[in-house]
Amino acid sequence: MSDTASTITAKLPEVAVYMKMLEQSTSEWRWMLGTDVTPAQLAHQAYPGAHSIGAVLLHMADSEAIWTMEVLAGGSVPDALKKELLADETDVWNGKWPTVPEEPLAYFYEKQDRVRKNTLEVLAGLTDIDKDFTAWGNTFSLRWILGHMVSHDSQHGGQAILLHVAQTLRP
């Protein structure tokens, strides 16, 4: 992760804690994933439509963009970004993952870092910790959204690590 977090200051102390947790989660799973993941490993799918490390990394950025750009900021994820993140080709709920390009890890991290910078800026500007947000016919508290973003990052970061371990430990 870049040093973006150190330059963006939240208006609300409680939000600052969540921002730090999000940055810490990403830093930890990236450290555990390591730097020796090859482009072929990032794109590898056990079967057509299965998840890959790269697809998981793109999904993480897409989900974060949706929560911040659409739900918290009330806008939309730009079409160009959705295309970069293969958002319309990913159907997590039905287990359908896209084939990602064989690119280096930096390719995927750059997209995540760009989304994260926006996330931190949106979070830093929040002024009401008790605010509720409505999306997809449901109401979410800001605290729930922030907690979900942290757990989502941790969950899928761990998934990326396990996918890499499964590839590197096979006989």
Side-chain angles (χ1 to χ4, degrees):
M1 288 296 316
S2 61
D3 290 326
T4 304
S6 62
T7 62
I8 299 175
T9 306
K11 292 180 180 179
L12 297 173
E14 191 168 356
V15 171
V17 171
Y18 282 104
M19 290 168 62
K20 185 64 176 170
M21 290 169 62
L22 191 58
E23 290 286 277
Q24 185 66 34
S25 169
T26 302
S27 176
E28 287 179 18
W29 67 253
R30 284 187 178 184
W31 176 78
M32 292 181 76
L33 181 60
T35 57
D36 64 339
V37 187
T38 68
Q41 290 171 327
L42 288 161
H44 174 76
Q45 294 174 288
Y47 54 87
H51 50 284
S52 65
I53 299 168
V56 168
L57 297 178
L58 294 179
H59 163 69
M60 292 167 73
D62 179 47
S63 179
E64 190 172 308
I66 290 168
W67 281 109
T68 56
M69 294 177 185
E70 292 184 8
V71 179
L72 296 178
S76 63
V77 178
D79 289 339
L81 181 57
K82 287 170 70 171
K83 184 175 181 171
E84 277 186 75
L85 301 176
L86 304 178
D88 293 336
E89 299 171 50
T90 305
D91 185 355
V92 176
W93 300 111
N94 291 302
K96 296 179 181 171
W97 295 83
T99 300
V100 300
E102 285 194 23
E103 295 286 348
L105 194 53
Y107 170 88
F108 297 93
Y109 284 176
E110 183 278 328
K111 293 169 189 343
Q112 285 188 325
D113 291 348
R114 200 167 2 116
V115 169
R116 179 61 55 82
K117 181 178 185 299
N118 179 76
T119 295
L120 296 175
E121 289 169 352
V122 169
L123 296 180
L126 297 172
T127 58
D128 183 359
I129 194 66
D130 295 314
K131 185 172 180 177
D132 288 333
F133 296 84
T134 302
W136 313 291
N138 296 300
T139 300
F140 302 94
S141 70
L142 176 56
R143 287 180 181 89
W144 185 91
I145 293 169
L146 296 172
H148 174 72
M149 289 173 65
V150 171
S151 67
H152 189 266
D153 185 78
S154 297
Q155 170 195 344
H156 285 302
Q159 182 182 17
I161 293 164
L162 288 174
L163 287 168
H164 187 240
V165 168
Q167 291 179 44
T168 56
L169 293 182
R170 297 188 220 177

